[in-house]
Amino acid sequence: MTEGIYILANDVVFDQLIALLNSIEVNVGQKYPVSIIPYDDRLERVREEIKYRNNVEIFEDSSAIKLWEDFSAQIWQAHPDAYKLWQEQGISGVYRLGMHRRFCGFDGIFDKFIYLDADILVLNSLDYIFEQLNQNDFVVYDFQYKDLSHVYNVNSDKLLNIFPQSRLEREVFCAGLYAANKGLFDAEKRNYLLSNLQDGEAEILYKNAPDQTILNYMVMRSAIPSYNFSHHLPESERTGCCVTSPNFDERNNLVYDGENRLTYLHYIGLSSKLFSRLCSGENIDFPYRETFLHYRYLHEPDRRPKFNTKPKAYNAPPSFTTKVLRKLGLIGV
């Protein structure tokens, strides 16, 4: 029985990937092999980096990638207006098609796996999550169920006909971190799901988080028993996970929610460009920046940027000069 970790990444998120791999190395160890699912073909820096990491490899199963990309494209073709709206926005084909490649884990090399987005740091043991897969086929630990609007089209009249409110309030999850057993979605199950979607259920999917909405639909519509630690841990033990929380403390290169150490910190909503600019020497401040920098430069501290100026907030409004230059088309948006 093999257990391992999948990460979806490419060179665009290189700095975040290095920080994540280093955080796994420090806080988990090398007991779980890591397979990097390529978001696309931009992998030159990633391939060079993993030469020096003996437990990390690239997911090379092109047939699995094609299978899940084709399946995802068929789903969105069943949607009443997704392709049309994306085309109007200048998007060719499926919006962020590479994000759907995360589903390859269901046909991958590990019998039990944890999937991680690249904008995550692992700050504690993952053993308890893997152990829960002995009782449940699908395991998460987040609070996405508090915000349904980023998972399904809440304006669809069909939503409550497909999933009762009680299920929506409890079973919805974030697709940034999840654990699962291999083989949950064989050809028969995929055909069943696609048939329902083509019969009109695709309307409930949320177009701006295409992979997240599909994964939630797949798990919930298949009636796969999922386990969310946020529902089961005592309140005194559970922690948040999102960088948007102002309540965490950074201590000793870890992050705490009260006295409880986070299992993972998800820099959700922060553009990969912020991390690239920071690592290029631009003094941009964002929540829990020091923890990211520690893990990013764990093995190359001499390359860590040194700042002599006051940091600029990542969400600071653009200056008057910048606004003028943008209006004149002299700089990008």
Side-chain angles (χ1 to χ4, degrees):
M1 186 68 68
T2 58
E3 298 176 334
I5 297 168
Y6 292 111
I7 299 169
L8 183 70
N10 63 4
D11 286 350
V12 174
V13 295
F14 179 79
D15 292 304
Q16 292 164 286
L17 174 64
I18 299 307
L20 171 54
L21 291 174
N22 288 341
S23 73
I24 293 171
E25 176 187 326
V26 171
N27 298 311
V28 178
Q30 295 198 356
K31 64 191 298 185
Y32 302 116
V34 176
S35 179
I36 297 173
I37 299 173
Y39 180 91
D40 55 24
D41 295 333
R42 292 173 289 180
L43 293 169
E44 185 177 346
R45 297 179 72 191
V46 173
R47 289 188 185 280
E48 184 63 28
E49 170 66 28
I50 67 171
K51 288 179 181 177
Y52 309 101
R53 297 178 183 266
N54 58 23
N55 71 323
V56 183
E57 63 178 30
I58 303 288
F59 184 87
E60 304 279 12
D61 189 345
S62 58
S63 62
I65 291 174
K66 184 178 188 306
L67 183 154
W68 284 104
E69 282 194 346
D70 290 349
F71 177 69
S72 301
Q74 285 181 284
I75 288 175
W76 288 112
Q77 284 163 3
H79 193 278
D81 62 9
Y83 270 85
K84 177 177 178 292
L85 289 174
W86 290 334
Q87 190 172 22
E88 290 171 357
Q89 296 168 10
I91 299 165
S92 176
V94 177
Y95 175 49
R96 299 170 75 183
L97 181 60
M99 297 295 283
H100 300 74
R101 292 185 174 191
R102 72 187 63 215
F103 305 148
C104 291
F106 295 113
D107 295 305
I109 55 178
F110 305 128
D111 297 307
K112 297 179 181 295
F113 66 88
I114 292 178
Y115 167 85
L116 301 168
D117 276 347
D119 59 346
I120 281 175
L121 295 178
V122 176
L123 302 173
N124 212 334
S125 171
L126 298 176
D127 291 352
Y128 74 101
I129 299 178
F130 276 110
E131 288 166 6
Q132 192 60 43
L133 287 175
N134 294 324
Q135 283 77 47
N136 298 86
D137 282 330
F138 197 84
V139 179
V140 296
Y141 186 5
D142 65 70
F143 298 84
Q144 187 65 55
Y145 58 85
K146 294 184 177 182
D147 180 12
L148 191 62
S149 66
H150 286 79
V151 176
Y152 291 119
N153 173 13
V154 294
N155 297 316
S156 169
D157 294 332
K158 294 184 179 180
L159 182 57
L160 290 176
N161 293 330
I162 300 168
F163 302 124
Q165 188 70 33
S166 58
R167 292 191 64 192
L168 293 170
E169 290 175 354
R170 189 167 181 85
E171 296 180 34
V172 159
F173 59 87
C174 173
L177 179 150
Y178 56 89
N181 289 315
K182 180 179 175 179
L184 294 184
F185 302 103
D186 57 16
E188 182 180 356
K189 186 64 65 65
R190 291 194 304 273
N191 290 336
Y192 163 77
L193 293 167
L194 188 58
S195 175
N196 287 325
L197 289 161
Q198 291 171 336
D199 283 343
E201 293 190 7
E203 177 189 303
I204 73 169
L205 300 179
Y206 177 63
K207 298 184 289 289
N208 291 333
D211 51 286
Q212 176 162 280
T213 190
I214 287 178
L215 185 58
N216 270 268
Y217 177 87
M218 285 165 56
V219 173
M220 293 178 66
R221 196 67 173 88
S222 302
I224 294 172
S226 61
Y227 184 97
N228 190 334
F229 280 99
S230 67
H231 291 311
H232 297 278
L233 287 174
E235 188 173 354
S236 60
E237 294 180 18
R238 62 177 180 252
T239 72
C241 57
C242 289
V243 72
T244 50
S245 173
N247 302 319
F248 301 155
D249 296 314
E250 292 175 290
R251 301 201 298 267
N252 301 318
N253 306 312
L254 299 168
V255 181
Y256 290 81
D257 188 348
E259 294 305 310
N260 296 314
R261 179 171 157 188
L262 268 63
T263 298
Y264 70 104
L265 179 63
H266 193 180
Y267 289 86
I268 191 166
L270 298 187
S271 167
S272 61
K273 293 177 182 177
L274 285 175
F275 295 87
S276 299
R277 288 163 59 192
L278 174 68
C279 294
S280 296
E282 193 172 341
N283 194 1
I284 302 173
D285 195 20
F286 52 79
Y288 314 109
R289 182 181 83 161
E290 289 307 304
T291 301
F292 166 77
L293 286 169
H294 169 77
Y295 289 105
R296 169 61 183 89
Y297 294 101
L298 183 74
H299 295 306
E300 40 190 0
D302 293 343
R303 294 190 59 195
R304 178 171 171 159
K306 296 177 176 62
F307 305 115
N308 300 312
T309 58
K310 185 178 178 181
K312 177 183 176 182
Y314 74 100
N315 54 357
S319 67
F320 175 75
T321 302
T322 300
K323 288 179 181 177
V324 171
L325 292 174
R326 283 179 181 168
K327 196 167 186 178
L328 294 174
L330 299 177
I331 62 172
V333 175

